[in-house]
Amino acid sequence: MTTEFQRHFSQHLEVVATGMETLEGVAEASASAIIDALAAGRKILTFGNGGSSAEASHLAEELMGRFRKTRRPFPAISLSSDSGTVTCISNDFGYETVFERQIEALAQPGDVAVALTTSGKSENVVRGLDAAKQKGAVTIALTGSAGLTRADADHVLAVPSSDSALIQEIHLIIIHIWCAEIDNALG
């Protein structure tokens, strides 16, 4: 009988194998966009809900702190992390505007907005991406198979799964690949 451990690992390996085939090009292009922005002194703005929020924060902390190499800190802000800002905007303007409003305040041309959403249907994430485009930021979306499209972001990394846990696991792998690329290029 297959245990939950074996089942989950088997599903993870299937998604990794398919993702290696479908995501490599866009993962490299999005890494280059992030590296170019950081090299030019621009900032990275990350956002998402729930577990995706935690992963957005993880990317920002890796950029400001370190990944594998000790290097200069890079400007990165997780738009989900400031509970005062999130609750103020949500209360005064509605939760659907929580990222849009922060992007309007913080994004500048040449910055990179990295949105994470396993479903691709989170209105606040979609509105945040739209605001980033209007501000002239490069937009990157990490999503699942039913998620966003190239119409929603400049770079869309759609993990070939509809299982939120598996999607988030692959998002974290992509984030770590980006960080390794950043260390290699700018460390």
Side-chain angles (χ1 to χ4, degrees), residues 53-74:
S53 170
E55 290 190 332
S57 293
H58 185 76
L59 174 56
E61 72 188 33
E62 296 282 24
L63 294 174
M64 287 189 289
R66 67 185 295 265
F67 180 59
R68 291 186 178 131
K69 296 179 181 179
T70 299
R71 45 137 176 86
R72 69 182 170 97
F74 296 115

Side-chain angles (χ1 to χ4, degrees), residues 47 49 96 99-100 115 117 120-133 148 152:
F47 53 98
N49 297 300
E96 66 278 1
F99 302 129
E100 173 185 33
T117 171
K121 298 178 175 101
S122 300
E123 184 179 352
N124 59 359
V125 172
V126 173
R127 288 175 71 156
L129 283 168
D130 288 342
K133 284 185 196 176
L148 303 169
D152 299 303

